[in-house]
Coordinates of all heavy atoms in Angstrom, one line a residue:
A128 N 103.2 102.2 118.6 CA 104.1 101.6 119.5 C 105.5 102.1 119.4 O 106.1 102.3 118.3 CB 104.1 100.1 119.3
M129 N 106.1 102.4 120.5 CA 107.5 102.9 120.6 C 108.4 102.0 121.3 O 108.0 101.3 122.2 CB 107.5 104.3 121.2 CG 106.7 105.4 120.6 SD 107.4 105.8 118.9 CE 108.8 106.8 119.4
K130 N 109.7 101.9 120.9 CA 110.6 101.0 121.5 C 111.8 101.8 122.0 O 112.4 102.6 121.3 CB 111.1 100.0 120.5 CG 112.0 98.9 121.0 CD 112.3 97.9 119.9 CE 113.1 96.7 120.4 NZ 113.4 95.8 119.3
R131 N 112.1 101.7 123.3 CA 113.2 102.5 123.9 C 114.5 101.7 123.7 O 114.7 100.6 124.1 CB 113.0 102.7 125.4 CG 114.0 103.6 126.0 CD 113.5 104.2 127.3 NE 112.4 105.2 127.1 CZ 112.6 106.4 126.7 NH1 113.8 106.9 126.5 NH2 111.5 107.2 126.5
V132 N 115.5 102.4 123.2 CA 116.9 101.9 123.0 C 117.8 102.9 123.7 O 118.0 104.0 123.2 CB 117.3 101.7 121.6 CG1 118.7 101.2 121.4 CG2 116.3 100.8 120.9
G133 N 118.3 102.5 124.9 CA 119.1 103.5 125.6 C 118.2 104.6 126.1 O 117.2 104.4 126.7
R134 N 118.6 105.9 125.8 CA 117.8 107.0 126.2 C 116.9 107.5 125.2 O 116.1 108.4 125.4 CB 118.8 108.2 126.6 CG 119.6 107.9 127.8 CD 120.5 109.1 128.2 NE 121.3 108.9 129.4 CZ 122.1 109.8 129.9 NH1 122.2 111.0 129.4 NH2 122.8 109.5 131.0
E135 N 116.9 106.9 124.0 CA 116.1 107.3 122.9 C 114.9 106.3 122.7 O 115.0 105.1 123.0 CB 116.9 107.4 121.6 CG 118.1 108.4 121.7 CD 117.6 109.8 121.8 OE1 116.5 110.1 121.3 OE2 118.3 110.6 122.5
A136 N 113.8 106.9 122.1 CA 112.7 106.1 121.8 C 112.5 106.1 120.3 O 112.6 107.1 119.6 CB 111.4 106.6 122.5
Y137 N 112.2 104.9 119.7 CA 112.0 104.8 118.3 C 110.7 104.0 118.0 O 110.3 103.2 118.8 CB 113.2 104.0 117.7 CG 114.5 104.6 117.8 CD1 115.3 104.4 119.0 CD2 115.0 105.5 116.8 CE1 116.5 105.0 119.1 CE2 116.3 106.0 117.0 CZ 117.0 105.8 118.1 OH 118.2 106.4 118.3
P138 N 110.1 104.3 116.8 CA 108.9 103.6 116.4 C 109.2 102.1 116.3 O 110.3 101.7 115.9 CB 108.5 104.2 115.1 CG 109.1 105.6 115.1 CD 110.4 105.4 115.9
D139 N 108.3 101.2 116.6 CA 108.6 99.8 116.7 C 108.1 99.1 115.4 O 108.1 97.9 115.3 CB 107.9 99.2 117.9 CG 108.4 97.8 118.2 OD1 109.6 97.6 117.9 OD2 107.7 97.0 118.8
Q140 N 107.8 99.9 114.4 CA 107.4 99.3 113.1 C 107.5 100.3 112.0 O 107.8 101.5 112.2 CB 105.9 98.8 113.2 CG 104.9 100.0 113.3 CD 103.5 99.5 113.7 OE1 103.2 99.1 114.8 NE2 102.7 99.5 112.7
Y141 N 107.3 99.9 110.8 CA 107.4 100.8 109.6 C 106.2 101.7 109.5 O 105.1 101.3 109.9 CB 107.7 100.1 108.3 CG 109.0 99.4 108.3 CD1 109.1 98.0 108.4 CD2 110.2 100.1 108.1 CE1 110.3 97.4 108.4 CE2 111.4 99.5 108.1 CZ 111.5 98.1 108.2 OH 112.7 97.5 108.2
S142 N 106.4 102.9 108.9 CA 105.3 103.8 108.7 C 104.6 103.4 107.4 O 105.2 103.0 106.4 CB 105.9 105.2 108.6 OG 104.9 106.1 108.2
Q143 N 103.3 103.5 107.4 CA 102.5 103.2 106.3 C 101.4 104.3 106.0 O 100.3 104.2 106.3 CB 101.8 101.9 106.4 CG 102.7 100.7 106.6 CD 102.0 99.4 106.7 OE1 100.9 99.3 107.2 NE2 102.7 98.3 106.4
P144 N 101.8 105.4 105.3 CA 100.9 106.4 105.0 C 99.8 105.9 104.0 O 100.0 105.0 103.3 CB 101.8 107.5 104.3 CG 103.2 107.2 104.8 CD 103.2 105.7 104.9
D145 N 98.6 106.6 104.0 CA 97.5 106.2 103.2 C 97.1 107.4 102.4 O 96.2 108.2 102.8 CB 96.4 105.7 104.0 CG 95.2 105.1 103.2 OD1 95.2 105.4 102.0 OD2 94.4 104.4 103.8
P146 N 97.6 107.6 101.2 CA 97.3 108.7 100.3 C 95.8 108.9 100.1 O 95.3 110.0 100.0 CB 98.1 108.5 99.0 CG 99.2 107.6 99.4 CD 98.7 106.7 100.5
G147 N 95.1 107.7 99.9 CA 93.7 107.8 99.7 C 92.9 108.4 100.8 O 92.0 109.2 100.7
A148 N 93.3 108.0 102.1 CA 92.6 108.5 103.2 C 93.0 110.0 103.4 O 92.1 110.8 103.8 CB 93.1 107.7 104.5

Side-chain angles (χ1 to χ4, degrees):
M129 299 294 287
K130 186 176 184 180
R131 184 161 293 280
V132 178
R134 295 184 178 181
E135 299 295 329
Y137 298 87
D139 199 27
Q140 65 190 76
Y141 292 106
S142 172
Q143 297 181 334
D145 185 345

